[in-house]
Amino acid sequence: MPGMSLRPGEVFAGYTVERELGAGGMGSVYLVRHPRLPRYDALKLLRAELCDDPAFVGRFEREADTVARLDHPNIVAVHDRGSQDGQLWISMRYIDGTNAENALADYHSGMPPERAAHIVGKVASALDYAHRHDLLHRDVKPANILLASGSDDDDETERVFLSDFGVAKSIGVAAQREASLTTTGSVVATLDYASPEQIKGRPLDHRSDIYALGCVLYKLLTGSVPYPGESIAARVYGRLNNPPPAPSARVPSVPRAFDDVVATAMAKEPADRYPTCRALAAAAREALATAPRDPDRPADPDEVLPTTSTAAGLVTGPHADPAAVRPAALSGAAPAAARPQPVSAAPTPTPPGPAVRVRPISVTHPPAPPELAPGRPADRPAGRRRTTAILAVVGAVLAAGVVTALVLR
């Protein structure tokens, strides 16, 4: 039977095969040239055992027709479907890029949260659109999320597409009790992203896709599936019994607010999850706002409190302990006044550092008494010299107080 393996140059259903793009649980996908139009398409051939199941063939044809009617910028468009010599096939728009699963290979431990939230947001929009048209995807995973560079006509640097509705099902049909995760021995959902009710064979609705999208978010943030057991039994047990994992526990740089997003999306009970995929995406965007400040980023000069006086026993400036010059609310430490600071008896050279904005202060000190200036004879009466010395000391103390008050204000 054709379709098990097509060679470059071979013609199938009128399409000329260029090369194989990939293979999965439902079949293989090829890059092909359209027989009449000057374009490339993606041609998917369904697995032979699926083509031998009359029930699956009937459902595939109905759902393919439904998917073909979906018109959304984040859903891969279906162009045509058919059967040749008993082999089911479907042609789709070809996306010249990669998928989210392969994109993860570029990172040591998960994507940056900003990119993960962007991808999840686009997929969420596509899923909610499909749900409004009475269609469940049932196999949401990174391998089914295609990524392409943005075009010159939009502001996006990366376009996101949800593909492979091969196991999609009408919500009305999915609401009936599922027999199992398999059909004629083939998996119709990926275990690592399947919802608990999907594993148990319970009725499904749109919240099963929401659960899968939560698993995708966790995978994008950490580079790992939520329940990476060494056996199928361990993975199933974790999914049914263990609480949703926290992404920040695996990758400490992930903002902790994402832990709550994943926990809600992956709740065991569908009623405890987000009501829509877009609600999940909105929560992910809000979690980005809680990202802690990068410790390697230079401090904003406007955030540094000017403290340059040594009159109050503070050694401050660019060379000082940053925790001593920041408020406790920012540094997480006790106020500087509550901690003893070293006092410099002599002026300390200031090493190069970030500029610190201070309010200019003009202080006029009284001239030194004649007897205190070396090499000059005392030419004033003793009483006047004592009075001048006292005034000089009082002036210095007052000046120091003014400087301290302005700095600490």
Side-chain angles (χ1 to χ4, degrees), residues 81-99:
R81 67 166 178 83
S83 174
Q84 178 171 308
D85 298 329
Q87 172 68 63
L88 293 173
W89 59 269
I90 183 171
S91 65
M92 303 167 288
R93 174 185 176 184
Y94 169 60
I95 304 298
D96 186 9
T98 185
N99 61 50

Side-chain angles (χ1 to χ4, degrees), residues 162-210:
L162 180 62
S163 70
D164 204 348
F165 280 81
V167 297
K169 203 167 191 179
S170 167
I171 293 179
V173 175
Q176 303 170 8
R177 183 173 180 84
E178 294 280 339
S180 66
L181 274 181
T182 62
T183 297
T184 63
S186 64
V187 176
V188 298
T190 304
L191 177 60
D192 289 327
Y193 304 92
S195 64
E197 60 269 26
Q198 203 168 2
I199 293 175
K200 295 177 181 179
R202 293 179 176 175
L204 303 180
D205 61 18
H206 68 284
R207 294 170 295 186
S208 183
D209 282 347
I210 294 174

Side-chain angles (χ1 to χ4, degrees), residues 327-334:
L330 296 179
S331 67

Side-chain angles (χ1 to χ4, degrees), residues 54-222:
F56 179 85
V57 172
R59 181 168 64 84
F60 167 77
E61 292 175 347
R62 291 191 301 271
E63 304 308 337
D65 291 344
T66 301
V67 175
R69 289 194 294 268
L70 298 181
D71 183 13
H72 190 277
N74 301 115
I75 293 179
V76 176
V78 171
H79 296 319
D80 201 358
R81 67 166 178 83
S83 174
Q84 178 171 308
D85 298 329
Q87 172 68 63
L88 293 173
W89 59 269
I90 183 171
S91 65
M92 303 167 288
R93 174 185 176 184
Y94 169 60
I95 304 298
D96 186 9
T98 185
N99 61 50
E101 184 72 40
N102 292 335
L104 279 168
D106 296 335
Y107 302 96
H108 177 66
S109 56
M111 294 180 175
E114 293 82 4
R115 188 181 187 190
H118 169 73
I119 293 173
V120 166
K122 298 302 182 181
V123 175
S125 178
L127 284 172
D128 279 352
Y129 177 85
H131 295 163
R132 290 195 299 270
H133 287 75
D134 193 41
L135 195 69
L136 296 181
H137 190 283
R138 297 203 308 162
D139 197 22
V140 181
K141 59 184 179 182
N144 287 338
I145 300 172
L146 305 184
L147 309 175
S149 299
S151 66
D152 296 334
D153 298 330
D154 55 49
D155 297 331
E156 290 184 339
T157 58
E158 183 174 57
R159 293 178 294 165
V160 181
F161 302 89
L162 180 62
S163 70
D164 204 348
F165 280 81
V167 297
K169 203 167 191 179
S170 167
I171 293 179
V173 175
Q176 303 170 8
R177 183 173 180 84
E178 294 280 339
S180 66
L181 274 181
T182 62
T183 297
T184 63
S186 64
V187 176
V188 298
T190 304
L191 177 60
D192 289 327
Y193 304 92
S195 64
E197 60 269 26
Q198 203 168 2
I199 293 175
K200 295 177 181 179
R202 293 179 176 175
L204 303 180
D205 61 18
H206 68 284
R207 294 170 295 186
S208 183
D209 282 347
I210 294 174
Y211 181 97
L213 188 58
C215 295
V216 168
L217 176 60
Y218 181 89
K219 177 68 178 285
L220 298 182
L221 290 171
T222 66

Side-chain angles (χ1 to χ4, degrees), residues 253-272:
S253 60
V254 173
R256 291 186 178 181
F258 278 101
D259 297 349
D260 293 334
V261 178
V262 170
T264 302
M266 294 180 57
K268 302 297 187 213
E269 294 297 328
D272 296 330

Side-chain angles (χ1 to χ4, degrees), residues 291-369:
R293 175 175 173 167
D294 185 354
D296 297 328
R297 182 172 64 88
D300 183 351
D302 290 338
E303 297 179 3
V304 179
L305 299 181
T307 49
T308 57
S309 173
T310 58
L314 297 178
V315 178
T316 58
H319 56 283
D321 178 9
V325 299
R326 290 180 178 272
L330 296 179
S331 67
R339 293 182 295 158
Q341 300 293 327
V343 179
S344 176
T348 303
T350 301
V356 179
R357 299 194 311 173
V358 297
R359 178 175 299 178
I361 301 172
S362 177
V363 179
T364 302
H365 295 277

